Short mmCIF file of all heavy atoms in Angstrom, two decimals:
data_model
loop_
_atom_site.label_atom_id
_atom_site.label_comp_id
_atom_site.label_asym_id
_atom_site.label_seq_id
_atom_site.Cartn_x
_atom_site.Cartn_y
_atom_site.Cartn_z
N MET A 179 -3.28 10.66 -18.93
CA MET A 179 -2.35 9.62 -18.54
C MET A 179 -0.93 10.18 -18.63
O MET A 179 -0.57 10.80 -19.61
CB MET A 179 -2.52 8.42 -19.47
CG MET A 179 -1.60 7.30 -19.19
SD MET A 179 -2.17 6.38 -17.78
CE MET A 179 -1.78 4.76 -18.27
N SER A 180 -0.18 9.98 -17.59
CA SER A 180 1.20 10.48 -17.59
C SER A 180 2.12 9.47 -18.28
O SER A 180 1.71 8.37 -18.63
CB SER A 180 1.66 10.71 -16.15
OG SER A 180 1.76 9.49 -15.46
N ASP A 181 3.37 9.86 -18.46
CA ASP A 181 4.33 8.96 -19.09
C ASP A 181 5.11 8.14 -18.07
O ASP A 181 6.11 7.54 -18.39
CB ASP A 181 5.28 9.75 -20.00
CG ASP A 181 6.06 10.82 -19.23
OD1 ASP A 181 5.81 11.00 -18.03
OD2 ASP A 181 6.93 11.45 -19.85
N HIS A 182 4.64 8.11 -16.83
CA HIS A 182 5.25 7.27 -15.79
C HIS A 182 4.13 6.64 -14.96
O HIS A 182 2.99 7.07 -15.00
CB HIS A 182 6.17 8.11 -14.89
CG HIS A 182 5.44 9.07 -14.03
ND1 HIS A 182 5.01 10.30 -14.50
CD2 HIS A 182 5.02 8.99 -12.74
CE1 HIS A 182 4.37 10.93 -13.52
NE2 HIS A 182 4.34 10.16 -12.45
N HIS A 183 4.48 5.60 -14.25
CA HIS A 183 3.52 4.93 -13.39
C HIS A 183 4.07 4.86 -11.98
O HIS A 183 5.26 4.72 -11.77
CB HIS A 183 3.25 3.50 -13.88
CG HIS A 183 2.66 3.45 -15.24
ND1 HIS A 183 1.38 3.85 -15.53
CD2 HIS A 183 3.18 3.03 -16.42
CE1 HIS A 183 1.13 3.68 -16.81
NE2 HIS A 183 2.22 3.20 -17.38
N VAL A 184 3.18 4.96 -11.02
CA VAL A 184 3.54 4.82 -9.61
C VAL A 184 2.69 3.68 -9.06
O VAL A 184 1.49 3.59 -9.34
CB VAL A 184 3.27 6.12 -8.82
CG1 VAL A 184 3.56 5.92 -7.34
CG2 VAL A 184 4.12 7.25 -9.38
N TYR A 185 3.32 2.80 -8.29
CA TYR A 185 2.64 1.62 -7.78
C TYR A 185 2.67 1.59 -6.26
O TYR A 185 3.54 2.20 -5.63
CB TYR A 185 3.33 0.35 -8.30
CG TYR A 185 3.29 0.23 -9.80
CD1 TYR A 185 4.31 0.74 -10.58
CD2 TYR A 185 2.21 -0.38 -10.43
CE1 TYR A 185 4.28 0.64 -11.96
CE2 TYR A 185 2.18 -0.50 -11.81
CZ TYR A 185 3.21 0.01 -12.57
OH TYR A 185 3.16 -0.09 -13.93
N LYS A 186 1.75 0.85 -5.70
CA LYS A 186 1.71 0.62 -4.26
C LYS A 186 1.46 -0.87 -4.06
O LYS A 186 0.86 -1.52 -4.92
CB LYS A 186 0.60 1.44 -3.61
CG LYS A 186 0.57 1.30 -2.11
CD LYS A 186 -0.37 2.29 -1.48
CE LYS A 186 -0.30 2.09 0.03
NZ LYS A 186 -0.75 3.24 0.76
N LYS A 187 1.89 -1.42 -2.91
CA LYS A 187 1.67 -2.82 -2.61
C LYS A 187 0.90 -2.94 -1.30
O LYS A 187 1.10 -2.16 -0.38
CB LYS A 187 2.99 -3.58 -2.46
CG LYS A 187 3.77 -3.69 -3.75
CD LYS A 187 4.91 -4.67 -3.63
CE LYS A 187 6.07 -4.09 -2.87
NZ LYS A 187 7.25 -4.98 -2.87
N VAL A 188 0.01 -3.92 -1.24
CA VAL A 188 -0.68 -4.28 -0.01
C VAL A 188 -0.43 -5.76 0.25
O VAL A 188 -0.19 -6.52 -0.68
CB VAL A 188 -2.20 -4.00 -0.08
CG1 VAL A 188 -2.48 -2.52 -0.18
CG2 VAL A 188 -2.85 -4.76 -1.21
N GLU A 189 -0.45 -6.14 1.51
CA GLU A 189 -0.28 -7.54 1.87
C GLU A 189 -1.60 -8.12 2.34
O GLU A 189 -2.31 -7.50 3.13
CB GLU A 189 0.76 -7.67 2.99
CG GLU A 189 2.16 -7.31 2.53
CD GLU A 189 3.21 -7.61 3.59
OE1 GLU A 189 3.27 -8.77 4.04
OE2 GLU A 189 3.93 -6.69 3.95
N ILE A 190 -1.94 -9.29 1.81
CA ILE A 190 -3.18 -9.96 2.17
C ILE A 190 -2.92 -11.46 2.33
O ILE A 190 -1.85 -11.95 1.94
CB ILE A 190 -4.28 -9.72 1.13
CG1 ILE A 190 -3.88 -10.27 -0.24
CG2 ILE A 190 -4.61 -8.24 1.02
CD1 ILE A 190 -5.00 -10.21 -1.26
N VAL A 191 -3.88 -12.17 2.90
CA VAL A 191 -3.80 -13.62 3.03
C VAL A 191 -5.10 -14.21 2.50
O VAL A 191 -6.19 -13.81 2.91
CB VAL A 191 -3.60 -14.05 4.49
CG1 VAL A 191 -3.60 -15.57 4.61
CG2 VAL A 191 -2.30 -13.48 5.05
N GLY A 192 -4.97 -15.15 1.56
CA GLY A 192 -6.13 -15.85 1.04
C GLY A 192 -6.15 -17.26 1.58
O GLY A 192 -5.11 -17.83 1.91
N SER A 193 -7.34 -17.85 1.65
CA SER A 193 -7.44 -19.22 2.14
C SER A 193 -8.41 -20.03 1.29
O SER A 193 -9.27 -19.48 0.60
CB SER A 193 -7.87 -19.25 3.61
OG SER A 193 -9.16 -18.73 3.75
N SER A 194 -8.25 -21.35 1.35
CA SER A 194 -9.12 -22.26 0.61
C SER A 194 -9.01 -23.65 1.22
O SER A 194 -7.94 -24.05 1.66
CB SER A 194 -8.70 -22.33 -0.86
OG SER A 194 -9.36 -23.38 -1.53
N LYS A 195 -10.10 -24.38 1.20
CA LYS A 195 -10.08 -25.79 1.62
C LYS A 195 -9.63 -26.68 0.48
O LYS A 195 -9.31 -27.85 0.70
CB LYS A 195 -11.47 -26.21 2.08
CG LYS A 195 -11.89 -25.57 3.37
CD LYS A 195 -13.24 -26.09 3.82
CE LYS A 195 -13.61 -25.47 5.17
NZ LYS A 195 -14.89 -26.00 5.66
N THR A 196 -9.57 -26.14 -0.74
CA THR A 196 -9.31 -26.94 -1.93
C THR A 196 -7.84 -26.99 -2.34
O THR A 196 -7.29 -28.07 -2.53
CB THR A 196 -10.13 -26.39 -3.12
OG1 THR A 196 -11.50 -26.30 -2.73
CG2 THR A 196 -10.01 -27.28 -4.32
N SER A 197 -7.20 -25.80 -2.51
CA SER A 197 -5.83 -25.79 -3.05
C SER A 197 -5.16 -24.43 -2.81
O SER A 197 -5.83 -23.44 -2.49
CB SER A 197 -5.85 -26.06 -4.55
OG SER A 197 -6.44 -25.00 -5.25
N ILE A 198 -3.86 -24.42 -3.04
CA ILE A 198 -3.10 -23.17 -2.97
C ILE A 198 -3.57 -22.21 -4.06
O ILE A 198 -3.73 -21.02 -3.82
CB ILE A 198 -1.58 -23.46 -3.10
CG1 ILE A 198 -1.10 -24.19 -1.83
CG2 ILE A 198 -0.79 -22.20 -3.35
CD1 ILE A 198 0.30 -24.76 -1.95
N GLU A 199 -3.81 -22.75 -5.25
CA GLU A 199 -4.27 -21.92 -6.36
C GLU A 199 -5.61 -21.26 -6.04
O GLU A 199 -5.83 -20.08 -6.34
CB GLU A 199 -4.37 -22.73 -7.66
CG GLU A 199 -3.03 -23.13 -8.23
CD GLU A 199 -2.43 -24.38 -7.58
OE1 GLU A 199 -3.10 -25.02 -6.71
OE2 GLU A 199 -1.30 -24.73 -7.91
N ASP A 200 -6.50 -22.02 -5.42
CA ASP A 200 -7.79 -21.45 -5.02
C ASP A 200 -7.61 -20.36 -3.96
O ASP A 200 -8.32 -19.35 -3.98
CB ASP A 200 -8.70 -22.53 -4.44
CG ASP A 200 -9.72 -23.05 -5.43
OD1 ASP A 200 -9.66 -22.65 -6.61
OD2 ASP A 200 -10.58 -23.84 -5.01
N ALA A 201 -6.67 -20.57 -3.04
CA ALA A 201 -6.41 -19.56 -2.01
C ALA A 201 -5.94 -18.26 -2.65
O ALA A 201 -6.36 -17.17 -2.25
CB ALA A 201 -5.38 -20.08 -1.01
N ILE A 202 -5.08 -18.37 -3.66
CA ILE A 202 -4.61 -17.18 -4.38
C ILE A 202 -5.78 -16.49 -5.08
O ILE A 202 -5.95 -15.28 -4.98
CB ILE A 202 -3.51 -17.55 -5.40
CG1 ILE A 202 -2.24 -18.01 -4.67
CG2 ILE A 202 -3.22 -16.37 -6.34
CD1 ILE A 202 -1.20 -18.65 -5.58
N GLN A 203 -6.59 -17.27 -5.80
CA GLN A 203 -7.70 -16.68 -6.54
C GLN A 203 -8.72 -16.05 -5.60
O GLN A 203 -9.25 -14.96 -5.88
CB GLN A 203 -8.39 -17.73 -7.43
CG GLN A 203 -9.35 -17.11 -8.41
CD GLN A 203 -8.66 -16.15 -9.37
OE1 GLN A 203 -7.71 -16.50 -10.06
NE2 GLN A 203 -9.13 -14.91 -9.40
N ASN A 204 -9.00 -16.69 -4.47
CA ASN A 204 -9.92 -16.11 -3.49
C ASN A 204 -9.40 -14.77 -2.99
O ASN A 204 -10.17 -13.81 -2.84
CB ASN A 204 -10.13 -17.07 -2.31
CG ASN A 204 -10.92 -18.29 -2.69
OD1 ASN A 204 -11.60 -18.32 -3.70
ND2 ASN A 204 -10.81 -19.34 -1.89
N ALA A 205 -8.10 -14.71 -2.73
CA ALA A 205 -7.50 -13.45 -2.26
C ALA A 205 -7.63 -12.37 -3.32
O ALA A 205 -8.01 -11.23 -3.03
CB ALA A 205 -6.03 -13.68 -1.89
N LEU A 206 -7.33 -12.70 -4.58
CA LEU A 206 -7.42 -11.72 -5.67
C LEU A 206 -8.87 -11.26 -5.88
O LEU A 206 -9.12 -10.07 -6.09
CB LEU A 206 -6.87 -12.30 -6.97
CG LEU A 206 -5.36 -12.58 -6.98
CD1 LEU A 206 -4.98 -13.29 -8.28
CD2 LEU A 206 -4.56 -11.32 -6.79
N ASP A 207 -9.81 -12.20 -5.81
CA ASP A 207 -11.22 -11.85 -6.00
C ASP A 207 -11.69 -10.87 -4.93
O ASP A 207 -12.33 -9.86 -5.24
CB ASP A 207 -12.10 -13.10 -5.97
CG ASP A 207 -11.91 -13.99 -7.19
OD1 ASP A 207 -11.33 -13.54 -8.20
OD2 ASP A 207 -12.35 -15.16 -7.14
N GLU A 208 -11.38 -11.15 -3.68
CA GLU A 208 -11.81 -10.27 -2.60
C GLU A 208 -11.10 -8.93 -2.63
O GLU A 208 -11.71 -7.88 -2.45
CB GLU A 208 -11.60 -10.94 -1.24
CG GLU A 208 -12.58 -12.04 -0.95
CD GLU A 208 -14.03 -11.57 -0.95
OE1 GLU A 208 -14.34 -10.52 -0.33
OE2 GLU A 208 -14.86 -12.24 -1.58
N CYS A 209 -9.80 -8.95 -2.88
CA CYS A 209 -9.03 -7.71 -2.93
C CYS A 209 -9.53 -6.82 -4.08
O CYS A 209 -9.63 -5.61 -3.94
CB CYS A 209 -7.54 -8.02 -3.09
SG CYS A 209 -6.45 -6.61 -2.87
N GLY A 210 -9.87 -7.45 -5.19
CA GLY A 210 -10.34 -6.71 -6.36
C GLY A 210 -11.66 -5.97 -6.13
O GLY A 210 -12.01 -5.08 -6.90
N LYS A 211 -12.38 -6.32 -5.07
CA LYS A 211 -13.63 -5.62 -4.76
C LYS A 211 -13.38 -4.21 -4.23
O LYS A 211 -14.26 -3.36 -4.32
CB LYS A 211 -14.44 -6.41 -3.74
CG LYS A 211 -14.98 -7.71 -4.29
CD LYS A 211 -15.71 -8.49 -3.21
CE LYS A 211 -16.21 -9.82 -3.75
NZ LYS A 211 -16.89 -10.60 -2.68
N SER A 212 -12.18 -3.97 -3.68
CA SER A 212 -11.91 -2.65 -3.11
C SER A 212 -10.63 -2.00 -3.64
O SER A 212 -10.43 -0.80 -3.44
CB SER A 212 -11.85 -2.72 -1.58
OG SER A 212 -10.83 -3.61 -1.18
N VAL A 213 -9.79 -2.76 -4.31
CA VAL A 213 -8.54 -2.21 -4.85
C VAL A 213 -8.62 -2.22 -6.37
O VAL A 213 -8.85 -3.26 -6.98
CB VAL A 213 -7.31 -3.03 -4.38
CG1 VAL A 213 -6.04 -2.52 -5.03
CG2 VAL A 213 -7.20 -3.00 -2.86
N ARG A 214 -8.44 -1.05 -6.97
CA ARG A 214 -8.46 -0.94 -8.43
C ARG A 214 -7.06 -1.01 -8.99
O ARG A 214 -6.09 -0.80 -8.29
CB ARG A 214 -9.13 0.37 -8.85
CG ARG A 214 -10.59 0.43 -8.46
CD ARG A 214 -11.21 1.75 -8.84
NE ARG A 214 -10.48 2.82 -8.15
CZ ARG A 214 -10.42 4.08 -8.57
NH1 ARG A 214 -11.04 4.44 -9.65
NH2 ARG A 214 -9.74 4.97 -7.89
N ASN A 215 -6.96 -1.28 -10.26
CA ASN A 215 -5.70 -1.25 -11.02
C ASN A 215 -4.68 -2.28 -10.52
O ASN A 215 -3.47 -2.03 -10.59
CB ASN A 215 -5.08 0.15 -11.00
CG ASN A 215 -6.01 1.21 -11.54
OD1 ASN A 215 -6.74 0.98 -12.50
ND2 ASN A 215 -6.03 2.37 -10.91
N MET A 216 -5.16 -3.43 -10.04
CA MET A 216 -4.21 -4.48 -9.63
C MET A 216 -3.45 -4.95 -10.86
O MET A 216 -4.04 -5.16 -11.91
CB MET A 216 -4.95 -5.66 -8.98
CG MET A 216 -5.62 -5.33 -7.69
SD MET A 216 -6.29 -6.78 -6.80
CE MET A 216 -7.23 -7.62 -8.05
N GLU A 217 -2.12 -5.10 -10.71
CA GLU A 217 -1.32 -5.49 -11.86
C GLU A 217 -0.45 -6.72 -11.63
O GLU A 217 -0.06 -7.36 -12.59
CB GLU A 217 -0.48 -4.31 -12.33
CG GLU A 217 -1.35 -3.18 -12.83
CD GLU A 217 -0.65 -2.26 -13.79
OE1 GLU A 217 0.51 -2.52 -14.15
OE2 GLU A 217 -1.28 -1.27 -14.19
N TRP A 218 -0.10 -7.04 -10.40
CA TRP A 218 0.70 -8.24 -10.16
C TRP A 218 0.51 -8.73 -8.73
O TRP A 218 -0.01 -8.03 -7.89
CB TRP A 218 2.18 -8.01 -10.46
CG TRP A 218 2.93 -7.25 -9.40
CD1 TRP A 218 3.51 -7.78 -8.28
CD2 TRP A 218 3.17 -5.86 -9.33
NE1 TRP A 218 4.10 -6.80 -7.52
CE2 TRP A 218 3.89 -5.60 -8.15
CE3 TRP A 218 2.84 -4.80 -10.14
CZ2 TRP A 218 4.29 -4.33 -7.78
CZ3 TRP A 218 3.23 -3.53 -9.76
CH2 TRP A 218 3.95 -3.31 -8.61
N PHE A 219 0.94 -9.97 -8.51
CA PHE A 219 0.97 -10.49 -7.15
C PHE A 219 2.26 -11.27 -6.94
O PHE A 219 2.87 -11.75 -7.89
CB PHE A 219 -0.25 -11.37 -6.83
CG PHE A 219 -0.27 -12.70 -7.52
CD1 PHE A 219 0.28 -13.82 -6.91
CD2 PHE A 219 -0.87 -12.85 -8.76
CE1 PHE A 219 0.26 -15.05 -7.53
CE2 PHE A 219 -0.91 -14.07 -9.39
CZ PHE A 219 -0.35 -15.18 -8.77
N GLU A 220 2.66 -11.36 -5.70
CA GLU A 220 3.86 -12.09 -5.29
C GLU A 220 3.47 -12.95 -4.10
O GLU A 220 2.92 -12.46 -3.12
CB GLU A 220 4.92 -11.07 -4.88
CG GLU A 220 6.16 -11.64 -4.27
CD GLU A 220 7.09 -10.54 -3.75
OE1 GLU A 220 6.88 -9.35 -4.08
OE2 GLU A 220 8.01 -10.89 -3.00
N VAL A 221 3.71 -14.26 -4.20
CA VAL A 221 3.44 -15.15 -3.08
C VAL A 221 4.60 -15.03 -2.09
O VAL A 221 5.75 -15.22 -2.45
CB VAL A 221 3.29 -16.61 -3.55
CG1 VAL A 221 3.17 -17.56 -2.36
CG2 VAL A 221 2.08 -16.75 -4.47
N THR A 222 4.27 -14.67 -0.86
CA THR A 222 5.31 -14.47 0.16
C THR A 222 5.33 -15.58 1.20
O THR A 222 6.36 -15.81 1.82
CB THR A 222 5.11 -13.12 0.88
OG1 THR A 222 3.81 -13.09 1.46
CG2 THR A 222 5.28 -11.97 -0.10
N GLU A 223 4.20 -16.25 1.39
CA GLU A 223 4.11 -17.33 2.37
C GLU A 223 3.11 -18.38 1.90
O GLU A 223 2.14 -18.04 1.23
CB GLU A 223 3.58 -16.81 3.71
CG GLU A 223 4.43 -15.82 4.43
CD GLU A 223 3.76 -15.41 5.73
OE1 GLU A 223 2.91 -14.51 5.68
OE2 GLU A 223 4.08 -16.04 6.77
N THR A 224 3.38 -19.61 2.26
CA THR A 224 2.42 -20.68 2.05
C THR A 224 2.37 -21.48 3.33
O THR A 224 3.39 -21.89 3.87
CB THR A 224 2.86 -21.60 0.89
OG1 THR A 224 3.09 -20.82 -0.27
CG2 THR A 224 1.80 -22.64 0.59
N ARG A 225 1.16 -21.65 3.84
CA ARG A 225 0.99 -22.43 5.07
C ARG A 225 -0.40 -23.04 5.06
O ARG A 225 -1.18 -22.81 4.14
CB ARG A 225 1.19 -21.56 6.30
CG ARG A 225 0.23 -20.41 6.41
CD ARG A 225 0.48 -19.58 7.66
NE ARG A 225 -0.37 -18.43 7.68
CZ ARG A 225 -0.05 -17.23 7.23
NH1 ARG A 225 1.16 -17.02 6.72
NH2 ARG A 225 -0.90 -16.24 7.27
N GLY A 226 -0.70 -23.81 6.07
CA GLY A 226 -2.02 -24.42 6.14
C GLY A 226 -2.39 -24.81 7.55
O GLY A 226 -1.59 -24.71 8.48
N HIS A 227 -3.60 -25.27 7.67
CA HIS A 227 -4.16 -25.68 8.94
C HIS A 227 -4.36 -27.20 8.89
O HIS A 227 -4.87 -27.73 7.89
CB HIS A 227 -5.49 -24.97 9.16
CG HIS A 227 -6.14 -25.28 10.45
ND1 HIS A 227 -7.40 -25.79 10.53
CD2 HIS A 227 -5.71 -25.17 11.73
CE1 HIS A 227 -7.73 -25.97 11.79
NE2 HIS A 227 -6.72 -25.61 12.54
N ILE A 228 -3.95 -27.89 9.93
CA ILE A 228 -4.05 -29.35 9.97
C ILE A 228 -5.24 -29.75 10.84
O ILE A 228 -5.37 -29.28 11.96
CB ILE A 228 -2.76 -29.97 10.53
CG1 ILE A 228 -1.57 -29.55 9.67
CG2 ILE A 228 -2.88 -31.49 10.61
CD1 ILE A 228 -0.22 -29.88 10.30
N VAL A 229 -6.07 -30.64 10.30
CA VAL A 229 -7.22 -31.17 11.03
C VAL A 229 -7.16 -32.69 10.95
O VAL A 229 -7.19 -33.25 9.84
CB VAL A 229 -8.55 -30.66 10.43
CG1 VAL A 229 -9.73 -31.27 11.16
CG2 VAL A 229 -8.62 -29.14 10.48
N ASP A 230 -7.06 -33.34 12.08
CA ASP A 230 -6.99 -34.82 12.13
C ASP A 230 -5.91 -35.38 11.22
O ASP A 230 -6.11 -36.37 10.51
CB ASP A 230 -8.35 -35.43 11.78
CG ASP A 230 -9.43 -35.06 12.78
OD1 ASP A 230 -9.11 -34.92 13.99
OD2 ASP A 230 -10.59 -34.90 12.36
N GLY A 231 -4.75 -34.71 11.19
CA GLY A 231 -3.62 -35.18 10.41
C GLY A 231 -3.70 -34.90 8.92
O GLY A 231 -2.84 -35.35 8.16
N LYS A 232 -4.71 -34.16 8.48
CA LYS A 232 -4.87 -33.84 7.06
C LYS A 232 -4.99 -32.33 6.88
O LYS A 232 -5.25 -31.61 7.83
CB LYS A 232 -6.11 -34.53 6.50
CG LYS A 232 -6.02 -36.03 6.59
CD LYS A 232 -7.18 -36.69 5.93
CE LYS A 232 -6.96 -38.19 6.11
NZ LYS A 232 -7.78 -38.99 5.31
N VAL A 233 -4.83 -31.89 5.64
CA VAL A 233 -4.96 -30.47 5.34
C VAL A 233 -6.40 -30.04 5.56
O VAL A 233 -7.32 -30.56 4.92
CB VAL A 233 -4.53 -30.15 3.89
CG1 VAL A 233 -4.77 -28.69 3.57
CG2 VAL A 233 -3.07 -30.51 3.66
N GLY A 234 -6.59 -29.11 6.48
CA GLY A 234 -7.92 -28.53 6.72
C GLY A 234 -8.19 -27.40 5.76
O GLY A 234 -9.27 -27.28 5.19
N HIS A 235 -7.20 -26.53 5.59
CA HIS A 235 -7.26 -25.49 4.58
C HIS A 235 -5.87 -24.92 4.34
O HIS A 235 -4.98 -25.07 5.16
CB HIS A 235 -8.27 -24.38 4.93
CG HIS A 235 -7.88 -23.53 6.11
ND1 HIS A 235 -8.20 -23.84 7.39
CD2 HIS A 235 -7.20 -22.37 6.17
CE1 HIS A 235 -7.72 -22.93 8.21
NE2 HIS A 235 -7.12 -22.02 7.49
N TYR A 236 -5.71 -24.33 3.18
CA TYR A 236 -4.46 -23.71 2.76
C TYR A 236 -4.55 -22.21 3.00
O TYR A 236 -5.62 -21.62 2.85
CB TYR A 236 -4.22 -23.94 1.26
CG TYR A 236 -4.16 -25.39 0.88
CD1 TYR A 236 -5.31 -26.07 0.52
CD2 TYR A 236 -2.95 -26.07 0.86
CE1 TYR A 236 -5.27 -27.41 0.16
CE2 TYR A 236 -2.90 -27.41 0.50
CZ TYR A 236 -4.06 -28.07 0.14
OH TYR A 236 -4.01 -29.39 -0.20
N GLN A 237 -3.43 -21.60 3.36
CA GLN A 237 -3.33 -20.15 3.48
C GLN A 237 -2.14 -19.69 2.67
O GLN A 237 -1.06 -20.28 2.75
CB GLN A 237 -3.14 -19.72 4.92
CG GLN A 237 -4.33 -19.94 5.80
CD GLN A 237 -4.08 -19.43 7.21
OE1 GLN A 237 -2.96 -19.44 7.70
NE2 GLN A 237 -5.14 -18.97 7.86
N VAL A 238 -2.34 -18.61 1.90
CA VAL A 238 -1.28 -18.07 1.06
C VAL A 238 -1.16 -16.57 1.31
O VAL A 238 -2.14 -15.84 1.16
CB VAL A 238 -1.55 -18.34 -0.44
CG1 VAL A 238 -0.44 -17.75 -1.30
CG2 VAL A 238 -1.69 -19.82 -0.70
N GLY A 239 0.03 -16.13 1.73
CA GLY A 239 0.30 -14.71 1.90
C GLY A 239 0.71 -14.12 0.56
O GLY A 239 1.52 -14.72 -0.17
N LEU A 240 0.13 -12.99 0.23
CA LEU A 240 0.41 -12.33 -1.04
C LEU A 240 0.73 -10.87 -0.86
O LEU A 240 0.20 -10.22 0.06
CB LEU A 240 -0.83 -12.39 -1.96
CG LEU A 240 -1.42 -13.73 -2.33
CD1 LEU A 240 -2.76 -13.53 -2.99
CD2 LEU A 240 -0.49 -14.47 -3.24
N LYS A 241 1.56 -10.34 -1.73
CA LYS A 241 1.70 -8.90 -1.92
C LYS A 241 1.04 -8.60 -3.25
O LYS A 241 1.35 -9.24 -4.26
CB LYS A 241 3.15 -8.47 -1.93
CG LYS A 241 3.83 -8.57 -0.59
CD LYS A 241 5.25 -8.04 -0.63
CE LYS A 241 5.89 -8.17 0.73
NZ LYS A 241 7.27 -7.68 0.72
N ILE A 242 0.10 -7.67 -3.24
CA ILE A 242 -0.60 -7.28 -4.45
C ILE A 242 -0.09 -5.91 -4.88
O ILE A 242 -0.10 -4.96 -4.09
CB ILE A 242 -2.13 -7.17 -4.20
CG1 ILE A 242 -2.68 -8.44 -3.59
CG2 ILE A 242 -2.85 -6.77 -5.49
CD1 ILE A 242 -2.71 -9.62 -4.49
N GLY A 243 0.37 -5.81 -6.11
CA GLY A 243 0.83 -4.53 -6.64
C GLY A 243 -0.27 -3.89 -7.47
O GLY A 243 -0.89 -4.55 -8.30
N PHE A 244 -0.54 -2.62 -7.21
CA PHE A 244 -1.53 -1.91 -8.01
C PHE A 244 -1.02 -0.53 -8.38
O PHE A 244 -0.22 0.08 -7.66
CB PHE A 244 -2.88 -1.83 -7.29
CG PHE A 244 -2.87 -1.07 -5.99
CD1 PHE A 244 -3.23 0.27 -5.94
CD2 PHE A 244 -2.50 -1.69 -4.80
CE1 PHE A 244 -3.23 0.97 -4.75
CE2 PHE A 244 -2.50 -1.01 -3.61
CZ PHE A 244 -2.86 0.33 -3.57
N ARG A 245 -1.46 -0.06 -9.53
CA ARG A 245 -1.03 1.24 -10.05
C ARG A 245 -1.89 2.33 -9.44
O ARG A 245 -3.11 2.22 -9.36
CB ARG A 245 -1.17 1.26 -11.58
CG ARG A 245 -0.64 2.52 -12.23
CD ARG A 245 -0.70 2.44 -13.75
NE ARG A 245 -1.86 1.76 -14.28
CZ ARG A 245 -3.07 2.29 -14.39
NH1 ARG A 245 -3.28 3.55 -14.01
NH2 ARG A 245 -4.06 1.60 -14.90
N ILE A 246 -1.24 3.40 -8.97
CA ILE A 246 -1.95 4.55 -8.43
C ILE A 246 -2.70 5.23 -9.58
O ILE A 246 -2.12 5.50 -10.64
CB ILE A 246 -0.95 5.55 -7.77
CG1 ILE A 246 -0.16 4.89 -6.65
CG2 ILE A 246 -1.67 6.80 -7.31
CD1 ILE A 246 -0.99 4.43 -5.47
N ALA A 247 -3.97 5.51 -9.37
CA ALA A 247 -4.80 6.13 -10.41
C ALA A 247 -4.18 7.44 -10.88
O ALA A 247 -3.70 8.23 -10.07
CB ALA A 247 -6.22 6.38 -9.86
N GLY A 248 -4.18 7.64 -12.17
CA GLY A 248 -3.66 8.87 -12.75
C GLY A 248 -2.16 8.85 -13.00
O GLY A 248 -1.60 9.81 -13.52
N SER A 249 -1.50 7.77 -12.61
CA SER A 249 -0.04 7.74 -12.85
C SER A 249 0.28 6.86 -14.04
O SER A 249 -0.54 6.13 -14.52
CB SER A 249 0.71 7.22 -11.63
OG SER A 249 0.54 5.83 -11.48
#
């Protein structure tokens, strides 16, 4: 382990029919299947889909920060 860390960010979008929080968690769960060393997230967008005048589902844009292995 070195005495410094290097990070990278990826942008993803999570969705949920239930809530914004669920959309975030769904995004983190899926991203975590292929990205290691995730350390933070930043919500960059919040939007949704309208069906018959009601919320059909929520969409949340995220930036996920992860540490480069070995740094």
Side-chain angles (χ1 to χ4, degrees):
M179 179 78 142
S180 67
D181 59 355
H182 69 278
H183 298 290
V184 176
Y185 298 91
K186 183 170 182 159
K187 293 191 283 187
V188 294
E189 292 188 55
I190 62 173
V191 177
S193 64
S194 169
K195 291 183 177 183
T196 307
S197 68
I198 291 169
E199 290 82 5
D200 260 6
I202 292 169
Q203 192 61 56
N204 290 341
L206 293 174
D207 290 345
E208 286 301 313
C209 191
K211 291 177 182 179
S212 59
V213 176
R214 295 178 300 155
N215 303 322
M216 294 189 310
E217 295 204 4
W218 77 86
F219 71 91
E220 172 186 348
V221 174
T222 58
E223 296 180 276
T224 305
R225 60 180 175 266
H227 182 237
I228 302 168
V229 177
D230 297 326
K232 298 185 180 193
V233 176
H235 68 272
Y236 302 89
Q237 291 182 329
V238 180
L240 302 169
K241 290 184 181 179
I242 306 290
F244 63 95
R245 185 176 37 79
I246 301 296
S249 74

